[in-house]
Amino acid sequence: YKINDAGKFARGPVAHTLSDASKLAGELFSELKRRNCHPLLLKYAEEELISKSLFHAISEAAKSIPDRIRRQVSLPSDGDALYTSSFGSKNETPLIFVTAMQTESEVSEQRGFKNLLTGIHGHYRNPRAHSSRVTSSEDKEDFYDAFSLFSYVHRRLDRAGVKS
């Protein structure tokens, strides 16, 4: 789908050949770069973007987040267990700090970031791990929004402190 010259939502081109798919993939890359997509997402989803598999591109991009965190804190866990161990809870000290955690507001923001990661995992990563591309359809707008959200997460992780 695309926005046509009249500003209306319209059907976009369909790829019938590898070169058509390559051109459409180029459009995906161009739009993601225009939106300042985090480079790590492009690395994780490059093949899926080339083949224009939005389903698999979102899946691989979503996996980039726990993979990065596991490498940062050297933990083998996944999902909420990984995020709780990494970003803390009322009973656990964080290993990764997205805030200084000096005020109640900063503590709340740290917990909110951890909850955001759990939500991304449950909403984007898990459903795609347990379903088929054939039975799913991805909307291009939702695809771009997912990549924007994942980019935000990676930018916050770029600035985060890690307990040594």
Side-chain angles (χ1 to χ4, degrees):
Y1 290 94
K2 66 177 186 174
I3 303 297
N4 65 20
D5 293 336
K8 304 275 185 189
F9 199 60
R11 245 187 215 289
V14 176
H16 297 288
T17 66
L18 287 175
S19 71
D20 287 348
S22 178
K23 180 181 175 197
L24 286 173
E27 291 173 19
L28 294 175
F29 276 112
S30 294
E31 180 61 15
L32 289 172
K33 286 182 180 184
R34 186 190 73 75
R35 292 172 179 237
N36 200 25
C37 176
H38 195 280
L40 196 56
L41 296 176
L42 299 176
K43 176 183 173 188
Y44 269 79
E46 182 177 25
E47 288 183 34
E48 293 73 19
L49 292 169
I50 290 169
S51 66
K52 199 181 175 261
S53 175
L54 303 184
F55 175 89
H56 288 109
I58 291 172
S59 179
E60 292 304 307
K63 290 177 197 175
S64 72
I65 296 167
D67 187 49
R68 178 181 182 171
I69 293 167
R70 275 192 293 273
R71 284 185 283 107
Q72 283 181 300
V73 296
S74 300
L75 292 173
S77 53
D78 198 27
D80 189 59
L82 173 65
Y83 303 134
T84 298
S85 296
S86 300
F87 295 93
S89 67
K90 288 183 180 182
N91 302 321
E92 290 187 60
T93 302
L95 300 174
I96 299 175
F97 296 85
V98 293
T99 71
M101 299 211 24
Q102 298 298 310
T103 66
E104 193 59 39
S105 182
E106 290 172 340
V107 170
S108 180
E109 183 180 354
Q110 175 86 9
R111 287 191 186 131
F113 189 77
K114 179 257 180 202
N115 291 335
L116 174 64
L117 297 179
T118 301
I120 288 171
H121 202 84
H123 183 72
Y124 290 104
R125 189 239 173 235
N126 281 351
R128 284 161 185 79
H130 302 287
S131 63
S132 166
R133 168 192 54 80
V134 175
T135 59
S136 177
S137 64
E138 298 294 342
D139 180 276
K140 212 184 265 189
E141 299 242 347
D142 292 341
F143 162 81
Y144 289 129
D145 289 344
F147 268 66
S148 293
L149 177 60
F150 303 161
S151 289
Y152 168 77
V153 167
H154 279 293
R155 283 192 301 275
R156 288 301 301 260
L157 291 172
D158 287 345
R159 298 185 302 269
V162 179
K163 184 178 178 181
S164 22

